[in-house]
Amino acid sequence: MSSRFRCGLCGREYPLGRRIRCSCGGLLEVEHDFPEGLDTSLFDGRLSSRHPPYNSGVWRFKELIHPIIDERYIVSRGEGNTGLYRHRRLSAYVGLKEIWVKHEGENPTGSFKDRGMTVGISEARRLGVKAVICASTGNTSASLAAYAAQAELRCIVLLPEGGVAYGKLAQAIAYGAKVVEVEGGFDEAMHLLEEAVEILGIYPLNSINPWRLEGQKAIVLELLQQRDWRPPDWIILPAGNLGNTSAFGKALRELRELDLIDEIPRLAAIQAEGANPFYRLWREGGELKPVERPRTIASAIRIGRPVNWSRALKAIEWTDGVVEQVSDQEIMDAKALVDRCGIGCEPASAASVAGAKKLVEMSIIDPGEKVVCILTGNLLKDPDLTIRYHRGEIEGIKPHLANRIIRIEQGIEELEEALSSDH
Ligand code: F0G
């Protein structure tokens, strides 16, 4: 049993280590020799475990993610184990009888990033790394800060100045990361990160790190396990830096190669209209043309130069998938609807639900098909936008599903009157 790195561009092989890029500039991927006779019963058998690391919805699948790491290096907070939910309102809104949402906002720091981070930080410990760094639109920094604090590693996070939701910024500060605001947007912060890695030698835990993607494969593994290993027709996810899209494609390819699934779900990656380089690439072909000033209300996916575009494109092609875009209005309305179901998510997450609705309207998804949408982050990450939507205070966004706050003077009659009015 062994694992190695392979360049996604030229195919060159490297032993595991601190290297992130090939000498040709391509990003490295982890390649495993999986144990013989691997069967889903091994993973199902661990479902009742209450002990770390196998009570984690990532490490339960250790043989598919990081088969060779010794348990003593693993830093886990029982990540994953997130719910798969249905709701009548959601079905009606999207126009699908069988639609589920998988709520990755239920992870320890409130986003799917924890799945990649438990693996990335554990590998950092295995390598004897002392300091870690990321550039982030917020969630990666919150997750890295938390896991680095657990592992007692020095943590530096590079954030776009003024572009991060307060819930996420608060987490990064509170968990003790060195928070550095960089002039410009996420893409500028990402550029600086690559320099910091090369010149300062700090270990990066962005999704350019191949171990992050290994951990994020577990979203797909767990959702299939929750469905008794019966794949849905579609898996729909928000797309920013395209780490998840790449990880989902890799997970499905490996499961198929191991004969653990019979059918391959189609992936649908959903971008925000103002930050849509991957959508344009998919439509127009050729090389990725970056969006210089990405704009969207969903700050988590405000990315114009996604680093993982080439492997994400392979994932879409290999699964016969699609890439779609949605407007900020569609994102905020879908978010309000998900919230109203009592499930709740942050704005970027709702791109998946908005995308599902659009793909049904475009007849790309058939109303009889089974669909799982990924909700990537928790509602409490960005309370500011939620309140502004319901108050009708976001410029250019109509609060179609507003739940207005009523203000009354003291008195039971005033209360009675307020409750009798339909709002
Ligand atoms: N949804 C949320 C809530 C995110 O935080 C992100 C990415 C995405 C979707 C997009 O996922 O990059 O794999 O395509 N957030 C990163 C960050 C960029 O820094 O937290 P992706």
Side-chain angles (χ1 to χ4, degrees), residues 50 105 187 244 311 318 320 322 325 361 422-423:
R50 283 182 288 118
D187 301 301
N244 258 352
R311 46 196 181 194
W318 188 79
D320 189 24
V322 299
Q325 60 174 358
E361 282 163 6
D422 195 20
H423 67 278

Side-chain angles (χ1 to χ4, degrees), residues 86-392:
R86 301 181 71 173
H87 198 288
R88 179 191 56 78
R89 272 180 207 273
L90 181 66
S91 284
Y93 184 74
V94 175
L96 284 170
K97 227 163 100 192
E98 298 199 70
I99 176 166
W100 290 262
V101 285
K102 180 153 179 65
H103 204 333
E104 288 298 301
E106 294 173 351
N107 272 290
T109 74
S111 83
F112 70 91
K113 306 287 180 180
D114 296 337
R115 292 191 185 255
M117 218 49 89
T118 179
V119 181
I121 281 282
S122 301
E123 176 65 6
R125 289 191 69 210
R126 194 182 76 89
L127 295 171
V129 157
K130 298 279 180 280
V132 291
I133 189 167
C134 74
S136 177
T137 55
N139 280 323
T140 301
S141 68
S143 182
L144 179 61
Y147 279 82
Q150 295 259 313
E152 299 200 47
L153 300 180
R154 178 156 190 246
C155 173
I156 300 123
V157 305
L158 308 179
L159 303 179
E161 195 179 6
V164 174
Y166 257 37
K168 307 172 189 182
L169 183 60
Q171 285 178 294
I173 297 171
Y175 294 135
K178 183 95 202 147
V179 177
V180 182
E181 290 196 329
V182 182
E183 204 183 330
F186 170 80
D187 301 301
E188 286 71 31
M190 194 67 207
H191 182 74
L192 184 60
L193 171 118
E194 296 247 16
E195 281 188 338
V197 172
E198 209 176 300
I199 297 164
L200 308 178
I202 311 174
Y203 189 62
L205 274 166
N206 270 93
S207 57
I208 53 169
N209 184 312
W211 294 104
R212 283 273 318 277
L213 303 194
E214 288 306 294
Q216 285 164 214
K217 289 190 320 195
I219 303 172
V220 165
L221 303 176
E222 189 176 88
L223 91 80
L224 291 170
Q225 184 174 42
Q226 283 166 305
R227 296 179 46 83
D228 296 325
W229 303 99
R230 285 193 302 264
D233 298 300
W234 290 88
I235 299 176
I236 308 186
L237 73 163
N241 216 12
L242 301 169
N244 258 352
T245 309
S246 309
F248 285 24
K250 187 169 191 283
L252 292 169
R253 204 179 65 230
E254 290 170 351
L255 287 172
R256 189 68 202 91
E257 278 164 17
L258 286 163
D259 219 7
L260 299 182
I261 52 171
D262 314 324
E263 307 275 335
I264 297 151
R266 300 176 71 183
L267 291 180
I270 312 297
Q271 293 222 283
E273 268 174 18
N276 64 352
F278 190 53
Y279 170 75
R280 298 220 309 244
L281 170 74
W282 187 69
R283 294 244 99 166
E284 295 160 16
E287 291 271 306
L288 184 102
K289 293 187 200 74
V291 169
E292 289 306 334
R293 272 200 187 72
R295 277 166 200 273
T296 167
I297 199 159
S299 57
I301 51 173
R302 197 179 291 148
I303 296 173
R305 202 181 278 269
V307 290
N308 291 301
W309 66 269
S310 126
R311 46 196 181 194
L313 188 62
K314 280 190 212 150
I316 295 292
E317 285 168 356
W318 188 79
T319 62
D320 189 24
V322 299
V323 184
E324 196 41 72
Q325 60 174 358
V326 290
S327 66
D328 281 357
Q329 180 73 57
E330 289 168 310
I331 289 175
M332 288 311 285
D333 285 342
K335 169 181 153 49
L337 190 281
V338 171
D339 293 351
R340 179 71 179 85
C341 291
I343 297 169
C345 64
E346 68 161 284
S349 307
S352 61
V353 171
K357 181 175 165 62
K358 190 163 177 185
L359 292 170
V360 171
E361 282 163 6
M362 293 166 82
S363 301
I364 293 172
I365 297 181
D366 185 272
E369 290 188 296
K370 297 177 180 61
V371 173
V372 177
C373 289
I374 309 298
L375 299 179
T376 43
N378 196 289
L379 186 151
L380 295 174
K381 290 278 189 175
D382 196 346
D384 181 54
L385 263 190
T386 304
I387 292 172
R388 283 172 54 212
Y389 174 89
H390 288 284
R391 283 188 174 152

